[in-house]
Amino acid sequence: MPDLDLLATFLEIYRGGSLTAAATRRGLTQPAVSGQLARLEHQLGEPLFVRGSRGVTPTPRADDLARRVAGHLDQLRTALDPVPAVGGTVRLGGAAEFLSARGLPALAPLTRRGIRLEVTFGLAHDLLAALKAAQLDVVLSSVRPGAGFTATPFTDEEFLLVGPPLLARTVDRRLLGEDPARALEHLPLVAYSGDLPIIRRYWRSEFGRRPKNPAAVVVPDLRAVLAAVIAGAGVSALPRYLAEPALAAGSVELLHHAEVPPLNTLYVVTRGAPTPAAGAVAEHLRSHDWGVL
């Protein structure tokens, strides 16, 4: 059986993504950490990490070992500590719009438990790459990740097609009931990106085809998309949590009533064995009552 000190050092390397970070966390020199890792790999008979210029990448054997030992080591450390550690820093990644409007307010209670959040905004694929490289601890992703991650659905975004009142009045209501895509195709679009990811999904889900509409504005922030729609630049599909306040204020109108509004599932994603603080963040997100988004 490997020495507990070797396993503790292994877990710090795994969580920190580098021998240097593990040395700092363990209060050891980097050569000492390197030596402990070498002894553990010798005992197990196979490598646990692939060394690179920016740190280390865990092997599948390391992923499996971390899953097996992390919880036990964390519990043992807490049991032996006369003053159990609380809190910790969690590097959290997610979409700027969701985190700003809903995610961070929901996580605020954890800061009173001593958890410190360092937040990175970005696109799902970029954030998952950072998680794989141990640069993030928890990612809120609109993309289901592949192997090597633990991903749990925690809420669904519901999308609404909205436009400013002046443009809404140009829609032929009779034609909207017969052929909605054709009734709406004269309306300019305000899109999140040039390939119209959200709008295209709405059109395909509701109308069975791609939109033919011209894009008037492309801006990579859904809050800016809403602002452009309110200003009259065009129409767009937006999450309910962003669109609803503008609908209530009369700044925009609902252009199409979907029987079952298109949904976008969000996942809370971790890699391997998260730290106790990262595990608390992930569990809080999974158990939070999000209502209808």
Side-chain angles (χ1 to χ4, degrees), residues 115-194:
I115 290 178
R116 178 174 178 268
L117 297 172
E118 292 183 357
V119 179
T120 298
F121 294 146
L123 299 177
H125 290 292
D126 296 335
L127 296 172
L128 291 173
L131 179 63
K132 185 176 182 180
Q135 296 165 357
L136 293 174
D137 303 307
V138 180
V139 166
L140 309 187
S141 173
S142 58
V143 175
R144 180 188 283 275
F149 298 100
T150 299
T152 307
F154 71 95
T155 192
D156 291 315
E157 295 176 312
E158 182 178 297
F159 285 92
L160 306 176
L161 185 62
V162 298
L166 283 175
L167 288 180
R169 295 191 195 109
T170 68
V171 176
D172 184 327
R173 295 294 163 180
R174 180 191 58 78
L175 185 58
L176 185 65
E178 299 172 357
D179 187 347
R182 187 174 160 210
L184 299 169
E185 68 182 17
H186 68 287
L187 297 172
L189 302 175
V190 181
Y192 185 81
S193 72

Side-chain angles (χ1 to χ4, degrees), residues 107-117:
L107 289 169
L110 293 182
T111 64
R112 296 192 287 274
R113 292 168 51 187
I115 290 178
R116 178 174 178 268
L117 297 172

Side-chain angles (χ1 to χ4, degrees), residues 42 54 66 72 76 91 110 113 190-191 194 196 208 211 238 240:
H42 177 74
R54 297 187 177 181
H72 300 293
L76 183 60
R91 299 166 299 173
L110 293 182
R113 292 168 51 187
V190 181
L196 314 179
L238 289 164
R240 179 181 287 277

